[in-house]
Amino acid sequence: MGNRAAAERRRRLHNPGGFERLHRRCKDVFPQQIEGVKLVINKNLSQHFQLSLHCSHLTFLGQGQYRVRLTFLINDNSQDVDSGNFPLLVGEMDSSGSLNAQCVLLLAERIRAKAAFQTQQDKFLTWQFDSEYRGDNFTASVTLGNPDIINQSAIVVGHFLQSVTQNLVLGGEIVYHRRPNEEGAILTLAGKYATPQWIATLNIGRGGAHVSYYHRANDQVQVGVEFEASSQTQETVFSFGYQLDLSEANMVFRGSLDSNWVVGGVLEKKLAPLPLTFALGAFMDHMKGKFQYGFSVTVC
């Protein structure tokens, strides 16, 4: 009876998702900086192809930059890697000729593989290969970054997350790097406790600590708090963010304040029935006396 009850509890546990998404819910509350003018056009060319054109960073004093993103999906036009739609091919090129590309494949029912690389004009910057296994109540993944057989250098990252209870997730990350005359490893422990109203997450290791707390007060108000400390740079940052959803007016406002006295906010407005979203943002760095502002228009 005891073994049967323990097996039943394990079956009821959920998959914790990917390690990189631990702090995702809290980060979504914070606004993204907007500078100058940004135009985003998303167009579904067919059931499997989607084209996205970004005209961004058109500052009033500098030259604009352009990015073209093409997505190919076998099953449908969803771009959510966690949705289970594979294979997924994404390529993005900017006005300088730099390219970002990735390919996500489903090798088996629970095994995903991804290859990604980034170039700066005609030079390779990074390339990496990922493999992830998602069980009923755990996720394990391995990443190989910038492998160089000639120079005998590479970066290997391992992740593991386990759902202990319906609310608690525990796991860790180990990063091993090797280069000529240098090698080392950094271990980071992670934990997340989630309820329908709030989520608390902690990453701590030799490299530093990252703590976040997300709370949903009601249907209109969400708040998030983050604390990040790095042992390498000897810097700590405390940030507070909030999100106000005004559904009747089709508006969303996100604001933030951190310990470096950077204050910012972004207001998004859906111009229904038109397929347009208008965003206006401003950020002020009081320590450096720097002010950034801009607006963006998204066409879907």
Side-chain angles (χ1 to χ4, degrees):
M1 291 295 293
N3 294 335
R4 189 180 302 112
E8 181 65 25
R9 285 195 298 269
R10 287 194 296 268
R11 283 196 294 268
R12 289 201 302 264
L13 297 178
H14 64 281
N15 181 275
F19 193 91
E20 70 281 355
R21 299 176 66 90
L22 280 175
H23 300 271
R24 178 71 176 272
R25 196 66 191 92
C26 181
K27 288 185 177 295
D28 288 343
V29 173
F30 288 77
Q32 300 296 322
Q33 290 193 10
I34 301 177
E35 184 179 8
V37 180
K38 180 179 180 180
L39 174 64
V40 181
I41 301 176
N42 296 319
K43 176 66 176 178
N44 291 326
L45 302 180
S46 68
Q47 182 181 2
H48 308 293
F49 280 95
Q50 184 179 61
L51 178 67
S52 179
L53 174 62
H54 296 246
C55 302
S56 60
H57 302 293
L58 297 174
T59 61
F60 301 104
L61 300 177
Q63 185 179 3
Q65 297 180 358
Y66 307 89
R67 290 186 294 131
V68 178
R69 178 186 178 102
L70 182 63
T71 302
F72 174 72
L73 185 61
I74 289 293
N75 295 330
D76 55 37
N77 58 7
S78 172
Q79 294 190 49
D80 187 4
V81 175
D82 289 328
S83 63
N85 298 306
F86 301 101
L88 173 65
L89 305 175
V90 181
E92 181 179 285
M93 178 173 289
D94 62 20
S95 55
S96 66
S98 299
L99 174 68
N100 289 326
Q102 63 174 317
C103 174
V104 184
L105 300 174
L106 187 65
L107 301 181
E109 182 180 358
R110 297 176 180 270
I111 302 177
R112 308 179 187 188
K114 183 175 72 172
F117 66 89
Q118 179 182 6
T119 68
Q120 185 174 15
Q121 297 180 355
D122 59 343
K123 297 181 180 180
F124 275 92
L125 289 183
T126 60
W127 56 95
Q128 68 179 44
F129 305 94
D130 302 83
S131 179
E132 180 185 79
Y133 181 86
R134 294 201 174 189
D136 293 333
N137 49 45
F138 71 93
T139 300
S141 65
V142 177
T143 301
L144 176 63
N146 290 3
D148 189 341
I149 300 177
I150 298 177
N151 296 321
Q152 297 182 355
S153 65
I155 299 176
V156 181
V157 182
H159 293 139
F160 182 80
L161 288 178
Q162 172 70 58
S163 293
V164 181
T165 67
Q166 290 289 342
N167 305 106
L168 180 63
V169 174
L170 297 177
E173 173 192 67
I174 183 168
V175 180
Y176 171 80
H177 68 274
R178 177 184 174 85
R179 62 189 67 176
N181 301 322
E182 181 184 353
E183 66 176 328
I186 299 177
L187 176 65
T188 301
L189 302 179
K192 182 175 75 171
Y193 192 90
T195 70
Q197 289 77 31
W198 58 270
I199 302 174
T201 310
L202 168 65
N203 290 14
I204 187 168
R206 194 178 67 180
H210 184 188
V211 184
S212 69
Y213 176 80
Y214 163 83
H215 189 93
R216 186 179 187 91
N218 49 50
D219 293 338
Q220 290 78 37
V221 180
Q222 304 174 59
V223 297
V225 179
E226 276 193 312
F227 174 81
E228 296 183 77
S230 174
S231 60
Q232 297 179 348
T233 62
Q234 300 296 316
E235 294 182 355
T236 59
V237 179
F238 178 83
S239 306
F240 170 77
Y242 60 93
Q243 175 178 319
L244 302 178
D245 294 279
L246 306 176
S247 56
E248 296 182 356
N250 290 326
M251 295 175 58
V252 176
F253 180 80
R254 295 181 177 91
S256 65
L257 169 66
D258 64 27
S259 56
N260 293 325
W261 292 103
V262 178
V263 182
V266 173
L267 176 65
E268 296 182 2
K269 168 69 175 178
K270 293 184 178 180
L271 305 178
L274 300 176
L276 299 176
T277 300
F278 178 79
L280 179 65
F283 290 82
M284 179 66 187
D285 189 335
H286 291 82
M287 300 292 290
K288 299 180 180 179
K290 184 179 179 181
F291 181 66
Q292 295 180 346
Y293 62 96
F295 66 90
S296 68
V297 178
T298 302
V299 183
C300 298

